[in-house]
Amino acid sequence: MLNALKQQPEDKILALMGQFRADPRDTKIDLGVGVYKDANGNTPIMDAVKQAEKQLWNDEKTKSYTGLAGDAGFHHAMKDLVLGDAVETERLSFIATPGGTGAIRQVIELVKMSGGSPTVWLSDPTWGNHPSILNHMGMKHTTYAYFDPETRAVKFDAMMDSLQAVKAGDMVLLHGCCHNPTGANLNQEQWHLVADLLLEKGAIPFIDIAYQGFGDGLEEDAYGTRHLASKFPEMLIAASCSKNFGIYRERAGLVIAISKDAATATITQSNLNYLNRQNYSFPPDHGTRLVTMVLTDPKLRANWEAELEMVRTGMLKQRQALADALRAGCGSDRFGFIAEHRGMFSRIGATPEQVAKLRDDHAIYMVGDSRINIAGLTDATIPVLAKAILDVGI
Ligand code: LMR
């Protein structure tokens, strides 16, 4: 049986991690995988998370199973963080999942269980694992226009034009904030226009929110998600705690399903519980418990918010410094978009050949579509990157 299997292509982002590790040059710069790094190139454990871990070590009395949906305290703390009071709690159903990817997978499983076969609309471009999961699960998908390679901003008119073709019951996947891989995001007015159009079309929004707090702030980054949640009878949300709590390997994520009424939400909940049971029984608990403690203990929360704010403003400074260094190098504002983008990533608009040259000649690693991880930069490497970008002719 096993000899009938075919070799699978490596995930591009994860393959890059391996190539970087294998590169012996000590000048190498990693702008690949979306992991936060501090000024010394480390991915620290956030102080509030470490404190919660110590407390948990002292206080936790059992490692017995939780509920199939995970811990209710986690659901409610995350509901407040992501949705505020945008929607009545009785219309919500939740499951904890192994990370944001687990949440995306469970949302698609739920769609399949509903018996429908909607087309899933993805932004062009989107995180590579979105189409990959949809392909694996045999879901129809297509793209809507999103990123303008010339201006490196959202091409909003083209986006609205392509969404005109959405059919009732189709799902439209939107990045809640900090678009991955481009860094280009909708403004509040654009969220309103997208919401109005999708409502008119009878579409179901599917929000992937993995970087809340990395863009314009915790509340600001939830604006679009909350606006849509307040308008739509049905909506699905996959939320990740990997980045904003820095607990990548703990695998803490959440599905929030919004149903049209409380009775439907009860049935949705039973389906979500069932899906957890079929796929892995109980979801991982450790990371979600830390998140709950941090969000609900006022001291830990203040500590976490302050550290997250430092991370966010630090990335903004790095964006500005890179844009400034490029302006000084090329004498024009054509890289100003780097300071306008938000979140961990910017797509800088290099060709695959230029990306390869940056890797081979300058030991600078970025994803093949020229996505850079801003948090991978330091004061010392910003001028190196700026010079290399201009050297390879971007
Ligand atoms: C990324 O886009 O780099 C992250 O979301 C990590 C991943 O799993 O791809």
Side-chain angles (χ1 to χ4, degrees):
M1 174 196 71
L2 297 181
N3 58 2
L5 295 173
K6 300 203 170 51
Q7 186 68 33
Q8 294 299 321
E10 261 191 301
D11 179 279
K12 292 199 174 71
I13 296 174
L14 305 185
L16 196 66
M17 287 168 81
Q19 284 173 23
F20 179 80
R21 266 192 226 113
D23 188 329
R25 291 173 287 183
D26 55 12
T27 52
K28 63 187 177 179
I29 301 172
D30 180 13
L31 307 179
V33 69
V35 169
Y36 173 75
K37 296 202 198 91
D38 64 16
N40 304 313
N42 299 319
T43 303
I45 301 174
M46 294 177 93
D47 183 59
V49 169
K50 199 69 187 162
Q51 284 190 41
E53 242 168 358
K54 283 187 189 147
Q55 208 174 306
L56 193 59
W57 190 83
N58 271 317
D59 298 349
E60 194 172 46
K61 297 280 181 293
T62 179
K63 294 278 188 192
S64 181
Y65 293 123
T66 54
L68 269 183
D71 181 52
F74 173 65
H75 304 157
H76 292 124
M78 283 297 289
K79 176 247 155 205
D80 286 344
L81 186 73
V82 176
L83 287 177
D85 53 11
V87 53
E88 310 88 299
T89 307
E90 61 177 26
R91 289 175 51 215
L92 301 176
S93 319
F94 307 91
I95 43 168
T97 55
T101 307
I104 293 165
R105 169 74 191 236
Q106 294 293 62
V107 164
I108 301 301
E109 295 256 11
L110 187 70
V111 172
K112 291 193 87 157
M113 278 196 73
S114 76
S117 62
T119 297
V120 182
W121 290 73
L122 304 173
S123 61
D124 177 20
T126 191
W127 182 48
N129 214 18
H130 286 150
S132 178
I133 293 173
L134 292 167
N135 286 338
H136 177 64
M137 299 189 69
M139 292 285 292
K140 285 179 288 182
H141 58 93
T142 187
T143 56
Y144 57 87
Y146 187 79
F147 184 66
D148 184 339
E150 285 303 312
T151 61
R152 275 85 149 184
V154 176
K155 49 177 173 187
F156 189 67
D157 291 346
M159 175 178 177
M160 293 295 276
D161 276 353
S162 51
L163 290 176
Q164 287 293 344
V166 167
K167 302 263 177 321
D170 282 355
M171 287 183 90
V172 179
L173 198 159
L174 296 149
H175 297 224
C177 60
C178 306
H179 186 266
N180 178 7
T182 67
N185 296 290
L186 299 179
N187 63 32
Q188 294 190 357
E189 191 196 338
Q190 291 170 335
W191 276 110
H192 286 231
L193 293 169
V194 168
D196 292 347
L197 177 62
L198 297 185
L199 264 175
E200 183 194 310
K201 298 286 171 194
I204 301 165
F206 175 14
I207 304 280
D208 181 356
I209 183 158
Y211 297 88
Q212 188 180 351
F214 275 30
D216 290 310
L218 276 172
E219 294 290 305
E220 293 82 348
D221 290 350
Y223 184 87
T225 307
R226 291 179 186 177
H227 179 69
L228 264 62
S230 72
K231 297 270 175 202
F232 280 79
E234 282 189 353
M235 174 163 141
L236 290 144
I237 302 169
S240 169
C241 305
S242 298
K243 329 272 170 165
N244 51 3
F245 291 86
I247 50 171
Y248 305 84
R249 64 174 67 165
E250 300 295 353
R251 310 315 295 139
L254 175 79
V255 173
I256 308 177
I258 304 177
S259 300
K260 70 176 182 351
D261 53 34
T264 315
T266 307
I267 298 172
T268 306
Q269 185 66 62
S270 78
N271 281 268
L272 287 171
N273 292 358
Y274 171 86
L275 283 173
N276 264 6
R277 181 63 169 159
Q278 303 319 304
N279 284 323
Y280 38 75
S281 282
F282 299 86
D285 181 72
H286 185 71
T288 65
R289 205 159 285 277
L290 299 175
V291 167
T292 312
M293 290 170 77
V294 168
L295 289 176
T296 55
D297 177 306
K299 268 209 185 122
L300 291 180
R301 178 151 185 155
N303 180 332
W304 170 70
E305 285 192 11
E307 190 169 347
L308 184 60
E309 190 58 9
M310 262 174 47
V311 164
R312 186 182 80 79
T313 51
M315 287 191 293
L316 284 181
K317 280 195 203 115
Q318 276 157 331
R319 288 186 172 283
Q320 192 60 56
L322 179 59
D324 289 348
L326 284 160
R327 185 184 306 108
C330 73
S332 89
D333 251 341
R334 64 195 172 87
F335 291 99
F337 66 87
I338 293 174
E340 300 302 316
H341 285 168
R342 285 293 179 274
M344 214 178 223
F345 308 118
S346 273
R347 181 185 267 200
I348 60 170
T351 63
E353 294 72 31
Q354 288 166 331
V355 171
K357 227 171 145 35
L358 285 165
R359 188 184 58 235
D360 298 342
D361 299 353
H362 299 270
I364 296 172
Y365 284 73
M366 63 187 64
V367 181
D369 63 1
S370 80
R371 183 192 85 171
I372 60 170
N373 174 5
I374 293 290
L377 289 167
T378 63
D379 291 350
T381 57
I382 284 170
V384 179
L385 174 65
K387 185 170 177 308
I389 285 177
L390 299 174
D391 275 0
V392 302
I394 300 170

mmCIF file of all heavy atoms in Angstrom, residues 11 13-14 17 32-35 101 127-129 180-181 210-211 243 248 251 344-345 367 371 373, ligand 1:
data_model
loop_
_atom_site.group_PDB
_atom_site.id
_atom_site.type_symbol
_atom_site.label_atom_id
_atom_site.label_comp_id
_atom_site.label_asym_id
_atom_site.label_seq_id
_atom_site.Cartn_x
_atom_site.Cartn_y
_atom_site.Cartn_z
ATOM 1 N N ASP A 11 6.136 22.129 1.487
ATOM 2 C CA ASP A 11 5.559 23.462 1.685
ATOM 3 C C ASP A 11 6.691 24.484 1.501
ATOM 4 O O ASP A 11 7.772 24.341 2.074
ATOM 5 C CB ASP A 11 4.979 23.554 3.104
ATOM 6 C CG ASP A 11 4.384 24.923 3.370
ATOM 7 O OD1 ASP A 11 5.146 25.861 3.682
ATOM 8 O OD2 ASP A 11 3.151 25.060 3.254
ATOM 9 N N ILE A 13 7.191 27.607 2.437
ATOM 10 C CA ILE A 13 7.674 28.381 3.587
ATOM 11 C C ILE A 13 8.499 27.489 4.513
ATOM 12 O O ILE A 13 9.582 27.863 4.976
ATOM 13 C CB ILE A 13 6.485 29.018 4.346
ATOM 14 C CG1 ILE A 13 5.774 30.026 3.430
ATOM 15 C CG2 ILE A 13 6.937 29.681 5.631
ATOM 16 C CD1 ILE A 13 4.493 30.614 4.005
ATOM 17 N N LEU A 14 8.006 26.262 4.713
ATOM 18 C CA LEU A 14 8.716 25.374 5.643
ATOM 19 C C LEU A 14 10.023 24.876 5.027
ATOM 20 O O LEU A 14 11.030 24.711 5.731
ATOM 21 C CB LEU A 14 7.803 24.214 6.059
ATOM 22 C CG LEU A 14 6.451 24.671 6.668
ATOM 23 C CD1 LEU A 14 5.649 23.483 7.162
ATOM 24 C CD2 LEU A 14 6.649 25.670 7.816
ATOM 25 N N MET A 17 12.798 27.286 5.652
ATOM 26 C CA MET A 17 13.385 27.211 6.997
ATOM 27 C C MET A 17 14.584 26.257 6.984
ATOM 28 O O MET A 17 15.634 26.548 7.570
ATOM 29 C CB MET A 17 12.356 26.686 8.019
ATOM 30 C CG MET A 17 11.280 27.667 8.393
ATOM 31 S SD MET A 17 9.935 26.866 9.319
ATOM 32 C CE MET A 17 10.591 26.798 10.969
ATOM 33 N N GLY A 32 12.130 34.706 6.257
ATOM 34 C CA GLY A 32 11.187 33.716 5.731
ATOM 35 C C GLY A 32 9.964 33.509 6.603
ATOM 36 O O GLY A 32 9.047 34.341 6.612
ATOM 37 N N VAL A 33 9.946 32.422 7.342
ATOM 38 C CA VAL A 33 8.736 32.006 8.062
ATOM 39 C C VAL A 33 8.225 33.117 9.003
ATOM 40 O O VAL A 33 9.007 33.892 9.544
ATOM 41 C CB VAL A 33 8.985 30.680 8.827
ATOM 42 C CG1 VAL A 33 9.941 30.882 9.995
ATOM 43 C CG2 VAL A 33 7.675 30.064 9.297
ATOM 44 N N GLY A 34 6.906 33.159 9.150
ATOM 45 C CA GLY A 34 6.267 34.207 9.944
ATOM 46 C C GLY A 34 6.356 33.963 11.435
ATOM 47 O O GLY A 34 5.373 33.612 12.088
ATOM 48 N N VAL A 35 7.550 34.151 11.968
ATOM 49 C CA VAL A 35 7.779 34.008 13.400
ATOM 50 C C VAL A 35 8.410 35.312 13.867
ATOM 51 O O VAL A 35 9.339 35.809 13.225
ATOM 52 C CB VAL A 35 8.720 32.806 13.670
ATOM 53 C CG1 VAL A 35 9.198 32.794 15.108
ATOM 54 C CG2 VAL A 35 8.012 31.491 13.346
ATOM 55 N N THR A 101 -4.277 26.881 11.834
ATOM 56 C CA THR A 101 -4.426 25.962 10.697
ATOM 57 C C THR A 101 -5.485 24.914 11.011
ATOM 58 O O THR A 101 -6.318 24.582 10.162
ATOM 59 C CB THR A 101 -3.083 25.268 10.380
ATOM 60 O OG1 THR A 101 -2.078 26.258 10.221
ATOM 61 C CG2 THR A 101 -3.173 24.428 9.129
ATOM 62 N N TRP A 127 -2.211 33.197 1.753
ATOM 63 C CA TRP A 127 -1.296 32.255 2.408
ATOM 64 C C TRP A 127 -1.367 30.923 1.648
ATOM 65 O O TRP A 127 -2.472 30.415 1.382
ATOM 66 C CB TRP A 127 -1.740 32.084 3.861
ATOM 67 C CG TRP A 127 -0.882 31.194 4.693
ATOM 68 C CD1 TRP A 127 0.482 31.222 4.788
ATOM 69 C CD2 TRP A 127 -1.328 30.154 5.576
ATOM 70 N NE1 TRP A 127 0.907 30.261 5.678
ATOM 71 C CE2 TRP A 127 -0.177 29.595 6.177
ATOM 72 C CE3 TRP A 127 -2.579 29.649 5.915
ATOM 73 C CZ2 TRP A 127 -0.249 28.550 7.095
ATOM 74 C CZ3 TRP A 127 -2.650 28.619 6.829
ATOM 75 C CH2 TRP A 127 -1.496 28.079 7.419
ATOM 76 N N GLY A 128 -0.221 30.372 1.284
ATOM 77 C CA GLY A 128 -0.186 29.187 0.419
ATOM 78 C C GLY A 128 -0.946 27.995 0.961
ATOM 79 O O GLY A 128 -1.415 27.143 0.188
ATOM 80 N N ASN A 129 -1.081 27.901 2.273
ATOM 81 C CA ASN A 129 -1.761 26.741 2.844
ATOM 82 C C ASN A 129 -3.281 26.815 2.671
ATOM 83 O O ASN A 129 -3.964 25.799 2.811
ATOM 84 C CB ASN A 129 -1.387 26.600 4.326
ATOM 85 C CG ASN A 129 -1.304 25.160 4.773
ATOM 86 O OD1 ASN A 129 -1.193 24.245 3.949
ATOM 87 N ND2 ASN A 129 -1.372 24.945 6.062
ATOM 88 N N ASN A 180 -1.493 38.265 4.828
ATOM 89 C CA ASN A 180 -0.353 37.379 4.575
ATOM 90 C C ASN A 180 -0.525 36.787 3.180
ATOM 91 O O ASN A 180 -1.501 36.085 2.959
ATOM 92 C CB ASN A 180 -0.361 36.265 5.645
ATOM 93 C CG ASN A 180 0.753 35.247 5.456
ATOM 94 O OD1 ASN A 180 1.624 35.412 4.613
ATOM 95 N ND2 ASN A 180 0.706 34.193 6.255
ATOM 96 N N PRO A 181 0.299 37.059 2.195
ATOM 97 C CA PRO A 181 1.688 37.504 2.303
ATOM 98 C C PRO A 181 1.959 38.972 1.978
ATOM 99 O O PRO A 181 3.126 39.349 1.955
ATOM 100 C CB PRO A 181 2.360 36.653 1.219
ATOM 101 C CG PRO A 181 1.334 36.622 0.112
ATOM 102 C CD PRO A 181 0.013 36.561 0.827
ATOM 103 N N ALA A 210 -4.991 35.888 12.259
ATOM 104 C CA ALA A 210 -3.829 35.235 12.876
ATOM 105 C C ALA A 210 -2.821 36.227 13.445
ATOM 106 O O ALA A 210 -1.838 35.809 14.050
ATOM 107 C CB ALA A 210 -3.142 34.334 11.846
ATOM 108 N N TYR A 211 -3.056 37.527 13.238
ATOM 109 C CA TYR A 211 -2.041 38.510 13.641
ATOM 110 C C TYR A 211 -2.663 39.685 14.385
ATOM 111 O O TYR A 211 -2.164 40.808 14.297
ATOM 112 C CB TYR A 211 -1.283 39.010 12.398
ATOM 113 C CG TYR A 211 -0.515 37.916 11.690
ATOM 114 C CD1 TYR A 211 -1.114 37.126 10.713
ATOM 115 C CD2 TYR A 211 0.814 37.659 12.024
ATOM 116 C CE1 TYR A 211 -0.421 36.104 10.082
ATOM 117 C CE2 TYR A 211 1.522 36.639 11.401
ATOM 118 C CZ TYR A 211 0.896 35.870 10.426
ATOM 119 O OH TYR A 211 1.595 34.859 9.814
ATOM 120 N N LYS A 243 0.865 33.741 17.086
ATOM 121 C CA LYS A 243 1.757 34.884 16.912
ATOM 122 C C LYS A 243 1.570 35.901 18.035
ATOM 123 O O LYS A 243 2.542 36.368 18.615
ATOM 124 C CB LYS A 243 1.497 35.569 15.571
ATOM 125 C CG LYS A 243 1.018 34.662 14.463
ATOM 126 C CD LYS A 243 2.132 34.026 13.689
ATOM 127 C CE LYS A 243 1.559 32.967 12.775
ATOM 128 N NZ LYS A 243 2.420 32.502 11.735
ATOM 129 N N TYR A 248 3.735 29.539 19.326
ATOM 130 C CA TYR A 248 3.668 28.817 18.046
ATOM 131 C C TYR A 248 3.531 27.302 18.236
ATOM 132 O O TYR A 248 2.661 26.672 17.663
ATOM 133 C CB TYR A 248 4.923 29.119 17.232
ATOM 134 C CG TYR A 248 5.156 30.591 17.025
ATOM 135 C CD1 TYR A 248 5.806 31.371 17.988
ATOM 136 C CD2 TYR A 248 4.713 31.226 15.877
ATOM 137 C CE1 TYR A 248 6.012 32.721 17.815
ATOM 138 C CE2 TYR A 248 4.910 32.588 15.687
ATOM 139 C CZ TYR A 248 5.563 33.334 16.659
ATOM 140 O OH TYR A 248 5.762 34.671 16.477
ATOM 141 N N ARG A 251 0.239 25.160 19.686
ATOM 142 C CA ARG A 251 -0.924 24.913 18.815
ATOM 143 C C ARG A 251 -2.237 25.315 19.503
ATOM 144 O O ARG A 251 -3.020 24.464 19.948
ATOM 145 C CB ARG A 251 -0.984 23.437 18.352
ATOM 146 C CG ARG A 251 0.286 22.875 17.770
ATOM 147 C CD ARG A 251 0.971 23.797 16.770
ATOM 148 N NE ARG A 251 0.193 24.031 15.564
ATOM 149 C CZ ARG A 251 0.099 25.229 14.965
ATOM 150 N NH1 ARG A 251 0.713 26.276 15.446
ATOM 151 N NH2 ARG A 251 -0.603 25.364 13.862
ATOM 152 N N MET A 344 3.255 41.522 9.933
ATOM 153 C CA MET A 344 4.598 40.960 9.920
ATOM 154 C C MET A 344 5.227 40.985 8.531
ATOM 155 O O MET A 344 6.443 40.915 8.397
ATOM 156 C CB MET A 344 4.472 39.511 10.385
ATOM 157 C CG MET A 344 5.633 39.027 11.187
ATOM 158 S SD MET A 344 5.289 37.356 11.703
ATOM 159 C CE MET A 344 5.834 37.447 13.360
ATOM 160 N N PHE A 345 4.371 41.076 7.493
ATOM 161 C CA PHE A 345 4.893 40.853 6.145
ATOM 162 C C PHE A 345 4.747 42.054 5.233
ATOM 163 O O PHE A 345 3.863 42.891 5.404
ATOM 164 C CB PHE A 345 4.157 39.681 5.487
ATOM 165 C CG PHE A 345 4.151 38.438 6.331
ATOM 166 C CD1 PHE A 345 2.959 37.891 6.785
ATOM 167 C CD2 PHE A 345 5.343 37.827 6.686
ATOM 168 C CE1 PHE A 345 2.958 36.754 7.581
ATOM 169 C CE2 PHE A 345 5.359 36.688 7.474
ATOM 170 C CZ PHE A 345 4.154 36.152 7.925
ATOM 171 N N VAL A 367 10.476 34.445 1.175
ATOM 172 C CA VAL A 367 9.629 33.493 0.460
ATOM 173 C C VAL A 367 9.691 33.826 -1.034
ATOM 174 O O VAL A 367 9.911 34.981 -1.419
ATOM 175 C CB VAL A 367 8.183 33.534 1.025
ATOM 176 C CG1 VAL A 367 7.284 32.534 0.312
ATOM 177 C CG2 VAL A 367 8.193 33.247 2.522
ATOM 178 N N ARG A 371 7.916 37.787 -0.303
ATOM 179 C CA ARG A 371 7.384 38.189 0.994
ATOM 180 C C ARG A 371 8.534 38.267 1.992
ATOM 181 O O ARG A 371 9.284 37.305 2.136
ATOM 182 C CB ARG A 371 6.366 37.149 1.493
ATOM 183 C CG ARG A 371 5.717 37.541 2.810
ATOM 184 C CD ARG A 371 4.937 36.399 3.435
ATOM 185 N NE ARG A 371 5.784 35.520 4.230
ATOM 186 C CZ ARG A 371 5.329 34.547 5.009
ATOM 187 N NH1 ARG A 371 4.028 34.293 5.072
ATOM 188 N NH2 ARG A 371 6.151 33.790 5.712
ATOM 189 N N ASN A 373 9.628 38.930 6.072
ATOM 190 C CA ASN A 373 9.171 39.027 7.461
ATOM 191 C C ASN A 373 9.895 40.219 8.086
ATOM 192 O O ASN A 373 11.093 40.161 8.345
ATOM 193 C CB ASN A 373 9.511 37.729 8.203
ATOM 194 C CG ASN A 373 9.195 37.813 9.691
ATOM 195 O OD1 ASN A 373 8.638 38.810 10.166
ATOM 196 N ND2 ASN A 373 9.544 36.776 10.420
HETATM 197 C C1 LMR B 1 3.777 31.951 7.715
HETATM 198 O O1 LMR B 1 2.952 32.344 6.854
HETATM 199 O O2 LMR B 1 5.004 32.047 7.580
HETATM 200 C C2 LMR B 1 3.252 31.344 8.994
HETATM 201 O O3 LMR B 1 1.870 31.375 9.008
HETATM 202 C C3 LMR B 1 3.826 30.019 9.277
HETATM 203 C C4 LMR B 1 3.260 28.944 8.407
HETATM 204 O O4 LMR B 1 2.801 27.943 8.976
HETATM 205 O O5 LMR B 1 3.296 29.051 7.177
#
